[in-house]
PDB file of all heavy atoms in Angstrom:
ATOM      1  N   ARG A   1     -16.764 -13.420  29.926  1.00  0.00           N
ATOM      2  CA  ARG A   1     -15.546 -13.410  30.745  1.00  0.00           C
ATOM      3  C   ARG A   1     -15.577 -12.303  31.801  1.00  0.00           C
ATOM      4  O   ARG A   1     -15.109 -12.497  32.921  1.00  0.00           O
ATOM      5  CB  ARG A   1     -14.320 -13.225  29.857  1.00  0.00           C
ATOM      6  CG  ARG A   1     -14.068 -14.362  28.892  1.00  0.00           C
ATOM      7  CD  ARG A   1     -12.808 -14.104  28.068  1.00  0.00           C
ATOM      8  NE  ARG A   1     -12.609 -15.127  27.049  1.00  0.00           N
ATOM      9  CZ  ARG A   1     -11.627 -15.105  26.160  1.00  0.00           C
ATOM     10  NH1 ARG A   1     -10.745 -14.096  26.173  1.00  0.00           N
ATOM     11  NH2 ARG A   1     -11.517 -16.056  25.257  1.00  0.00           N
ATOM     12  N   PHE A   2     -16.112 -11.159  31.431  1.00  0.00           N
ATOM     13  CA  PHE A   2     -16.081  -9.992  32.316  1.00  0.00           C
ATOM     14  C   PHE A   2     -17.475  -9.361  32.379  1.00  0.00           C
ATOM     15  O   PHE A   2     -17.727  -8.313  31.781  1.00  0.00           O
ATOM     16  CB  PHE A   2     -15.053  -8.967  31.821  1.00  0.00           C
ATOM     17  CG  PHE A   2     -13.713  -9.571  31.494  1.00  0.00           C
ATOM     18  CD1 PHE A   2     -13.300  -9.684  30.175  1.00  0.00           C
ATOM     19  CD2 PHE A   2     -12.883 -10.048  32.490  1.00  0.00           C
ATOM     20  CE1 PHE A   2     -12.069 -10.245  29.865  1.00  0.00           C
ATOM     21  CE2 PHE A   2     -11.656 -10.616  32.194  1.00  0.00           C
ATOM     22  CZ  PHE A   2     -11.243 -10.713  30.875  1.00  0.00           C
ATOM     23  N   PRO A   3     -18.412  -9.997  33.088  1.00  0.00           N
ATOM     24  CA  PRO A   3     -19.810  -9.548  33.069  1.00  0.00           C
ATOM     25  C   PRO A   3     -20.052  -8.185  33.689  1.00  0.00           C
ATOM     26  O   PRO A   3     -21.092  -7.569  33.413  1.00  0.00           O
ATOM     27  CB  PRO A   3     -20.533 -10.652  33.855  1.00  0.00           C
ATOM     28  CG  PRO A   3     -19.472 -11.289  34.705  1.00  0.00           C
ATOM     29  CD  PRO A   3     -18.220 -11.208  33.899  1.00  0.00           C
ATOM     30  N   ALA A   4     -19.139  -7.693  34.513  1.00  0.00           N
ATOM     31  CA  ALA A   4     -19.365  -6.403  35.182  1.00  0.00           C
ATOM     32  C   ALA A   4     -18.776  -5.222  34.412  1.00  0.00           C
ATOM     33  O   ALA A   4     -18.899  -4.081  34.848  1.00  0.00           O
ATOM     34  CB  ALA A   4     -18.778  -6.437  36.595  1.00  0.00           C
ATOM     35  N   ILE A   5     -18.129  -5.478  33.278  1.00  0.00           N
ATOM     36  CA  ILE A   5     -17.560  -4.395  32.484  1.00  0.00           C
ATOM     37  C   ILE A   5     -18.605  -3.901  31.480  1.00  0.00           C
ATOM     38  O   ILE A   5     -19.127  -4.672  30.681  1.00  0.00           O
ATOM     39  CB  ILE A   5     -16.303  -4.860  31.720  1.00  0.00           C
ATOM     40  CG1 ILE A   5     -15.241  -5.375  32.694  1.00  0.00           C
ATOM     41  CG2 ILE A   5     -15.744  -3.719  30.879  1.00  0.00           C
ATOM     42  CD1 ILE A   5     -14.666  -4.325  33.595  1.00  0.00           C
ATOM     43  N   ASN A   6     -18.928  -2.626  31.553  1.00  0.00           N
ATOM     44  CA  ASN A   6     -19.872  -2.029  30.609  1.00  0.00           C
ATOM     45  C   ASN A   6     -19.131  -1.582  29.355  1.00  0.00           C
ATOM     46  O   ASN A   6     -18.060  -0.985  29.439  1.00  0.00           O
ATOM     47  CB  ASN A   6     -20.579  -0.825  31.228  1.00  0.00           C
ATOM     48  CG  ASN A   6     -21.440  -1.224  32.424  1.00  0.00           C
ATOM     49  OD1 ASN A   6     -22.019  -2.310  32.423  1.00  0.00           O
ATOM     50  ND2 ASN A   6     -21.516  -0.370  33.415  1.00  0.00           N
ATOM     51  N   VAL A   7     -19.709  -1.853  28.206  1.00  0.00           N
ATOM     52  CA  VAL A   7     -19.091  -1.498  26.926  1.00  0.00           C
ATOM     53  C   VAL A   7     -20.004  -0.540  26.169  1.00  0.00           C
ATOM     54  O   VAL A   7     -21.182  -0.839  25.957  1.00  0.00           O
ATOM     55  CB  VAL A   7     -18.815  -2.744  26.057  1.00  0.00           C
ATOM     56  CG1 VAL A   7     -18.141  -2.336  24.747  1.00  0.00           C
ATOM     57  CG2 VAL A   7     -17.945  -3.741  26.814  1.00  0.00           C
ATOM     58  N   MET A   8     -19.458   0.613  25.781  1.00  0.00           N
ATOM     59  CA  MET A   8     -20.192   1.575  24.964  1.00  0.00           C
ATOM     60  C   MET A   8     -19.687   1.478  23.531  1.00  0.00           C
ATOM     61  O   MET A   8     -18.499   1.664  23.271  1.00  0.00           O
ATOM     62  CB  MET A   8     -20.003   2.998  25.500  1.00  0.00           C
ATOM     63  CG  MET A   8     -20.734   4.064  24.694  1.00  0.00           C
ATOM     64  SD  MET A   8     -20.511   5.725  25.404  1.00  0.00           S
ATOM     65  CE  MET A   8     -21.369   5.526  26.968  1.00  0.00           C
ATOM     66  N   VAL A   9     -20.578   1.182  22.608  1.00  0.00           N
ATOM     67  CA  VAL A   9     -20.209   1.003  21.201  1.00  0.00           C
ATOM     68  C   VAL A   9     -20.646   2.228  20.398  1.00  0.00           C
ATOM     69  O   VAL A   9     -21.815   2.613  20.418  1.00  0.00           O
ATOM     70  CB  VAL A   9     -20.866  -0.256  20.610  1.00  0.00           C
ATOM     71  CG1 VAL A   9     -20.515  -0.395  19.136  1.00  0.00           C
ATOM     72  CG2 VAL A   9     -20.423  -1.495  21.382  1.00  0.00           C
ATOM     73  N   HIS A  10     -19.692   2.816  19.696  1.00  0.00           N
ATOM     74  CA  HIS A  10     -19.991   3.924  18.778  1.00  0.00           C
ATOM     75  C   HIS A  10     -19.873   3.374  17.358  1.00  0.00           C
ATOM     76  O   HIS A  10     -18.765   3.108  16.883  1.00  0.00           O
ATOM     77  CB  HIS A  10     -18.996   5.079  18.967  1.00  0.00           C
ATOM     78  CG  HIS A  10     -19.026   5.685  20.334  1.00  0.00           C
ATOM     79  ND1 HIS A  10     -19.836   6.743  20.667  1.00  0.00           N
ATOM     80  CD2 HIS A  10     -18.340   5.367  21.466  1.00  0.00           C
ATOM     81  CE1 HIS A  10     -19.648   7.070  21.926  1.00  0.00           C
ATOM     82  NE2 HIS A  10     -18.747   6.244  22.439  1.00  0.00           N
ATOM     83  N   ASP A  11     -20.995   3.159  16.679  1.00  0.00           N
ATOM     84  CA  ASP A  11     -20.941   2.687  15.307  1.00  0.00           C
ATOM     85  C   ASP A  11     -20.969   3.894  14.381  1.00  0.00           C
ATOM     86  O   ASP A  11     -22.002   4.499  14.150  1.00  0.00           O
ATOM     87  CB  ASP A  11     -22.075   1.710  15.004  1.00  0.00           C
ATOM     88  CG  ASP A  11     -23.437   2.199  15.458  1.00  0.00           C
ATOM     89  OD1 ASP A  11     -23.495   3.124  16.287  1.00  0.00           O
ATOM     90  OD2 ASP A  11     -24.452   1.680  14.972  1.00  0.00           O
ATOM     91  N   VAL A  12     -19.794   4.226  13.870  1.00  0.00           N
ATOM     92  CA  VAL A  12     -19.598   5.429  13.063  1.00  0.00           C
ATOM     93  C   VAL A  12     -18.800   5.065  11.816  1.00  0.00           C
ATOM     94  O   VAL A  12     -18.200   3.995  11.738  1.00  0.00           O
ATOM     95  CB  VAL A  12     -18.872   6.528  13.862  1.00  0.00           C
ATOM     96  CG1 VAL A  12     -19.725   6.994  15.038  1.00  0.00           C
ATOM     97  CG2 VAL A  12     -17.519   6.024  14.389  1.00  0.00           C
ATOM     98  N   ILE A  13     -18.777   5.964  10.845  1.00  0.00           N
ATOM     99  CA  ILE A  13     -18.039   5.681   9.621  1.00  0.00           C
ATOM    100  C   ILE A  13     -16.556   5.522   9.921  1.00  0.00           C
ATOM    101  O   ILE A  13     -16.054   5.995  10.945  1.00  0.00           O
ATOM    102  CB  ILE A  13     -18.268   6.776   8.562  1.00  0.00           C
ATOM    103  CG1 ILE A  13     -17.754   8.134   9.051  1.00  0.00           C
ATOM    104  CG2 ILE A  13     -19.742   6.857   8.182  1.00  0.00           C
ATOM    105  CD1 ILE A  13     -17.821   9.220   7.981  1.00  0.00           C
ATOM    106  N   ALA A  14     -15.857   4.859   9.009  1.00  0.00           N
ATOM    107  CA  ALA A  14     -14.453   4.502   9.241  1.00  0.00           C
ATOM    108  C   ALA A  14     -13.592   5.704   9.587  1.00  0.00           C
ATOM    109  O   ALA A  14     -12.705   5.627  10.455  1.00  0.00           O
ATOM    110  CB  ALA A  14     -13.894   3.790   8.014  1.00  0.00           C
ATOM    111  N   GLU A  15     -13.834   6.837   8.937  1.00  0.00           N
ATOM    112  CA  GLU A  15     -13.034   8.035   9.194  1.00  0.00           C
ATOM    113  C   GLU A  15     -13.248   8.541  10.618  1.00  0.00           C
ATOM    114  O   GLU A  15     -12.314   9.006  11.277  1.00  0.00           O
ATOM    115  CB  GLU A  15     -13.387   9.132   8.184  1.00  0.00           C
ATOM    116  CG  GLU A  15     -13.020   8.801   6.748  1.00  0.00           C
ATOM    117  CD  GLU A  15     -13.978   7.804   6.119  1.00  0.00           C
ATOM    118  OE1 GLU A  15     -15.119   7.666   6.605  1.00  0.00           O
ATOM    119  OE2 GLU A  15     -13.574   7.148   5.148  1.00  0.00           O
ATOM    120  N   ASP A  16     -14.473   8.434  11.109  1.00  0.00           N
ATOM    121  CA  ASP A  16     -14.762   8.885  12.471  1.00  0.00           C
ATOM    122  C   ASP A  16     -14.164   7.946  13.512  1.00  0.00           C
ATOM    123  O   ASP A  16     -13.827   8.373  14.622  1.00  0.00           O
ATOM    124  CB  ASP A  16     -16.271   9.007  12.684  1.00  0.00           C
ATOM    125  CG  ASP A  16     -16.860  10.211  11.976  1.00  0.00           C
ATOM    126  OD1 ASP A  16     -16.071  11.065  11.528  1.00  0.00           O
ATOM    127  OD2 ASP A  16     -18.103  10.300  11.875  1.00  0.00           O
ATOM    128  N   VAL A  17     -14.055   6.661  13.176  1.00  0.00           N
ATOM    129  CA  VAL A  17     -13.380   5.724  14.083  1.00  0.00           C
ATOM    130  C   VAL A  17     -11.950   6.192  14.331  1.00  0.00           C
ATOM    131  O   VAL A  17     -11.484   6.260  15.479  1.00  0.00           O
ATOM    132  CB  VAL A  17     -13.389   4.295  13.506  1.00  0.00           C
ATOM    133  CG1 VAL A  17     -12.530   3.372  14.388  1.00  0.00           C
ATOM    134  CG2 VAL A  17     -14.803   3.749  13.416  1.00  0.00           C
ATOM    135  N   VAL A  18     -11.247   6.525  13.264  1.00  0.00           N
ATOM    136  CA  VAL A  18      -9.863   6.990  13.386  1.00  0.00           C
ATOM    137  C   VAL A  18      -9.802   8.247  14.236  1.00  0.00           C
ATOM    138  O   VAL A  18      -8.954   8.378  15.128  1.00  0.00           O
ATOM    139  CB  VAL A  18      -9.261   7.267  11.991  1.00  0.00           C
ATOM    140  CG1 VAL A  18      -7.850   7.853  12.116  1.00  0.00           C
ATOM    141  CG2 VAL A  18      -9.220   5.981  11.171  1.00  0.00           C
ATOM    142  N   ASP A  19     -10.713   9.177  14.006  1.00  0.00           N
ATOM    143  CA  ASP A  19     -10.711  10.437  14.743  1.00  0.00           C
ATOM    144  C   ASP A  19     -11.013  10.225  16.219  1.00  0.00           C
ATOM    145  O   ASP A  19     -10.388  10.852  17.085  1.00  0.00           O
ATOM    146  CB  ASP A  19     -11.743  11.396  14.127  1.00  0.00           C
ATOM    147  CG  ASP A  19     -11.760  12.747  14.833  1.00  0.00           C
ATOM    148  OD1 ASP A  19     -10.737  13.463  14.744  1.00  0.00           O
ATOM    149  OD2 ASP A  19     -12.781  13.076  15.475  1.00  0.00           O
ATOM    150  N   MET A  20     -11.956   9.346  16.536  1.00  0.00           N
ATOM    151  CA  MET A  20     -12.326   9.107  17.932  1.00  0.00           C
ATOM    152  C   MET A  20     -11.196   8.446  18.706  1.00  0.00           C
ATOM    153  O   MET A  20     -10.977   8.749  19.884  1.00  0.00           O
ATOM    154  CB  MET A  20     -13.602   8.268  18.007  1.00  0.00           C
ATOM    155  CG  MET A  20     -14.836   8.987  17.494  1.00  0.00           C
ATOM    156  SD  MET A  20     -16.360   8.020  17.672  1.00  0.00           S
ATOM    157  CE  MET A  20     -16.631   8.175  19.452  1.00  0.00           C
ATOM    158  N   VAL A  21     -10.465   7.540  18.063  1.00  0.00           N
ATOM    159  CA  VAL A  21      -9.308   6.922  18.725  1.00  0.00           C
ATOM    160  C   VAL A  21      -8.204   7.953  18.895  1.00  0.00           C
ATOM    161  O   VAL A  21      -7.606   8.078  19.972  1.00  0.00           O
ATOM    162  CB  VAL A  21      -8.802   5.710  17.913  1.00  0.00           C
ATOM    163  CG1 VAL A  21      -7.493   5.179  18.517  1.00  0.00           C
ATOM    164  CG2 VAL A  21      -9.847   4.605  17.881  1.00  0.00           C
ATOM    165  N   ARG A  22      -7.942   8.720  17.854  1.00  0.00           N
ATOM    166  CA  ARG A  22      -6.851   9.698  17.886  1.00  0.00           C
ATOM    167  C   ARG A  22      -7.063  10.741  18.978  1.00  0.00           C
ATOM    168  O   ARG A  22      -6.112  11.173  19.642  1.00  0.00           O
ATOM    169  CB  ARG A  22      -6.728  10.365  16.521  1.00  0.00           C
ATOM    170  CG  ARG A  22      -5.690  11.486  16.455  1.00  0.00           C
ATOM    171  CD  ARG A  22      -5.479  11.942  15.036  1.00  0.00           C
ATOM    172  NE  ARG A  22      -4.649  11.008  14.290  1.00  0.00           N
ATOM    173  CZ  ARG A  22      -4.901  10.595  13.048  1.00  0.00           C
ATOM    174  NH1 ARG A  22      -5.977  11.029  12.415  1.00  0.00           N
ATOM    175  NH2 ARG A  22      -4.071   9.762  12.446  1.00  0.00           N
ATOM    176  N   THR A  23      -8.294  11.182  19.185  1.00  0.00           N
ATOM    177  CA  THR A  23      -8.584  12.224  20.173  1.00  0.00           C
ATOM    178  C   THR A  23      -8.848  11.669  21.563  1.00  0.00           C
ATOM    179  O   THR A  23      -9.085  12.438  22.487  1.00  0.00           O
ATOM    180  CB  THR A  23      -9.794  13.062  19.724  1.00  0.00           C
ATOM    181  OG1 THR A  23     -10.937  12.202  19.546  1.00  0.00           O
ATOM    182  CG2 THR A  23      -9.498  13.793  18.426  1.00  0.00           C
ATOM    183  N   GLY A  24      -8.808  10.345  21.724  1.00  0.00           N
ATOM    184  CA  GLY A  24      -8.986   9.753  23.041  1.00  0.00           C
ATOM    185  C   GLY A  24     -10.424   9.607  23.479  1.00  0.00           C
ATOM    186  O   GLY A  24     -10.684   9.266  24.641  1.00  0.00           O
ATOM    187  N   ARG A  25     -11.383   9.817  22.585  1.00  0.00           N
ATOM    188  CA  ARG A  25     -12.788   9.637  22.959  1.00  0.00           C
ATOM    189  C   ARG A  25     -13.104   8.176  23.186  1.00  0.00           C
ATOM    190  O   ARG A  25     -14.027   7.840  23.939  1.00  0.00           O
ATOM    191  CB  ARG A  25     -13.699  10.228  21.884  1.00  0.00           C
ATOM    192  CG  ARG A  25     -13.637  11.743  21.781  1.00  0.00           C
ATOM    193  CD  ARG A  25     -14.456  12.258  20.632  1.00  0.00           C
ATOM    194  NE  ARG A  25     -15.858  11.869  20.753  1.00  0.00           N
ATOM    195  CZ  ARG A  25     -16.751  11.995  19.779  1.00  0.00           C
ATOM    196  NH1 ARG A  25     -16.371  12.489  18.609  1.00  0.00           N
ATOM    197  NH2 ARG A  25     -18.003  11.636  19.968  1.00  0.00           N
ATOM    198  N   VAL A  26     -12.384   7.294  22.526  1.00  0.00           N
ATOM    199  CA  VAL A  26     -12.480   5.853  22.764  1.00  0.00           C
ATOM    200  C   VAL A  26     -11.064   5.298  22.852  1.00  0.00           C
ATOM    201  O   VAL A  26     -10.126   5.879  22.313  1.00  0.00           O
ATOM    202  CB  VAL A  26     -13.263   5.122  21.644  1.00  0.00           C
ATOM    203  CG1 VAL A  26     -14.692   5.631  21.549  1.00  0.00           C
ATOM    204  CG2 VAL A  26     -12.558   5.269  20.308  1.00  0.00           C
ATOM    205  N   GLU A  27     -10.919   4.179  23.538  1.00  0.00           N
ATOM    206  CA  GLU A  27      -9.605   3.543  23.632  1.00  0.00           C
ATOM    207  C   GLU A  27      -9.324   2.616  22.457  1.00  0.00           C
ATOM    208  O   GLU A  27      -8.168   2.441  22.055  1.00  0.00           O
ATOM    209  CB  GLU A  27      -9.514   2.725  24.931  1.00  0.00           C
ATOM    210  CG  GLU A  27      -9.418   3.545  26.197  1.00  0.00           C
ATOM    211  CD  GLU A  27      -9.091   2.677  27.398  1.00  0.00           C
ATOM    212  OE1 GLU A  27      -7.897   2.452  27.658  1.00  0.00           O
ATOM    213  OE2 GLU A  27     -10.035   2.198  28.055  1.00  0.00           O
ATOM    214  N   VAL A  28     -10.386   2.024  21.920  1.00  0.00           N
ATOM    215  CA  VAL A  28     -10.230   0.995  20.895  1.00  0.00           C
ATOM    216  C   VAL A  28     -11.135   1.310  19.709  1.00  0.00           C
ATOM    217  O   VAL A  28     -12.279   1.739  19.890  1.00  0.00           O
ATOM    218  CB  VAL A  28     -10.593  -0.397  21.462  1.00  0.00           C
ATOM    219  CG1 VAL A  28     -10.408  -1.472  20.397  1.00  0.00           C
ATOM    220  CG2 VAL A  28      -9.751  -0.710  22.692  1.00  0.00           C
ATOM    221  N   GLY A  29     -10.624   1.085  18.511  1.00  0.00           N
ATOM    222  CA  GLY A  29     -11.434   1.228  17.310  1.00  0.00           C
ATOM    223  C   GLY A  29     -11.235   0.040  16.398  1.00  0.00           C
ATOM    224  O   GLY A  29     -10.191  -0.618  16.433  1.00  0.00           O
ATOM    225  N   VAL A  30     -12.244  -0.248  15.589  1.00  0.00           N
ATOM    226  CA  VAL A  30     -12.125  -1.276  14.558  1.00  0.00           C
ATOM    227  C   VAL A  30     -12.507  -0.642  13.233  1.00  0.00           C
ATOM    228  O   VAL A  30     -13.626  -0.138  13.078  1.00  0.00           O
ATOM    229  CB  VAL A  30     -13.023  -2.493  14.839  1.00  0.00           C
ATOM    230  CG1 VAL A  30     -12.874  -3.521  13.714  1.00  0.00           C
ATOM    231  CG2 VAL A  30     -12.668  -3.129  16.172  1.00  0.00           C
ATOM    232  N   THR A  31     -11.580  -0.657  12.284  1.00  0.00           N
ATOM    233  CA  THR A  31     -11.814   0.031  11.019  1.00  0.00           C
ATOM    234  C   THR A  31     -10.852  -0.491   9.969  1.00  0.00           C
ATOM    235  O   THR A  31     -10.055  -1.395  10.234  1.00  0.00           O
ATOM    236  CB  THR A  31     -11.647   1.555  11.192  1.00  0.00           C
ATOM    237  OG1 THR A  31     -12.018   2.220   9.992  1.00  0.00           O
ATOM    238  CG2 THR A  31     -10.224   1.914  11.573  1.00  0.00           C
ATOM    239  N   PHE A  32     -10.931   0.093   8.766  1.00  0.00           N
ATOM    240  CA  PHE A  32      -9.955  -0.223   7.732  1.00  0.00           C
ATOM    241  C   PHE A  32      -8.598   0.371   8.109  1.00  0.00           C
ATOM    242  O   PHE A  32      -8.511   1.334   8.872  1.00  0.00           O
ATOM    243  CB  PHE A  32     -10.401   0.337   6.384  1.00  0.00           C
ATOM    244  CG  PHE A  32     -11.641  -0.311   5.836  1.00  0.00           C
ATOM    245  CD1 PHE A  32     -12.773   0.433   5.562  1.00  0.00           C
ATOM    246  CD2 PHE A  32     -11.669  -1.673   5.581  1.00  0.00           C
ATOM    247  CE1 PHE A  32     -13.914  -0.159   5.040  1.00  0.00           C
ATOM    248  CE2 PHE A  32     -12.801  -2.279   5.067  1.00  0.00           C
ATOM    249  CZ  PHE A  32     -13.924  -1.520   4.795  1.00  0.00           C
ATOM    250  N   ASP A  33      -7.544  -0.198   7.562  1.00  0.00           N
ATOM    251  CA  ASP A  33      -6.191   0.285   7.809  1.00  0.00           C
ATOM    252  C   ASP A  33      -6.065   1.745   7.354  1.00  0.00           C
ATOM    253  O   ASP A  33      -6.265   2.048   6.172  1.00  0.00           O
ATOM    254  CB  ASP A  33      -5.196  -0.579   7.027  1.00  0.00           C
ATOM    255  CG  ASP A  33      -3.752  -0.278   7.380  1.00  0.00           C
ATOM    256  OD1 ASP A  33      -3.497   0.738   8.066  1.00  0.00           O
ATOM    257  OD2 ASP A  33      -2.877  -1.058   6.957  1.00  0.00           O
TER     258      ASP A  33
END
């Protein structure tokens, strides 16, 4: 759908996903509730 958008994926443990979203290092995270 959006071929010109670059996506950087950080595959990190669930706790780090929460921290990265909370601190604004990433806009979106996928993790456990």
Side-chain angles (χ1 to χ4, degrees):
R1 295 181 185 177
F2 312 108
I5 301 294
N6 296 325
V7 181
M8 180 178 294
V9 178
H10 298 269
D11 48 343
V12 296
I13 62 174
E15 294 76 21
D16 287 348
V17 173
V18 176
D19 182 66
M20 293 183 75
V21 173
R22 176 171 283 136
T23 58
R25 292 175 59 192
V26 299
E27 288 190 87
V28 181
V30 179
T31 186
F32 294 121
D33 188 349

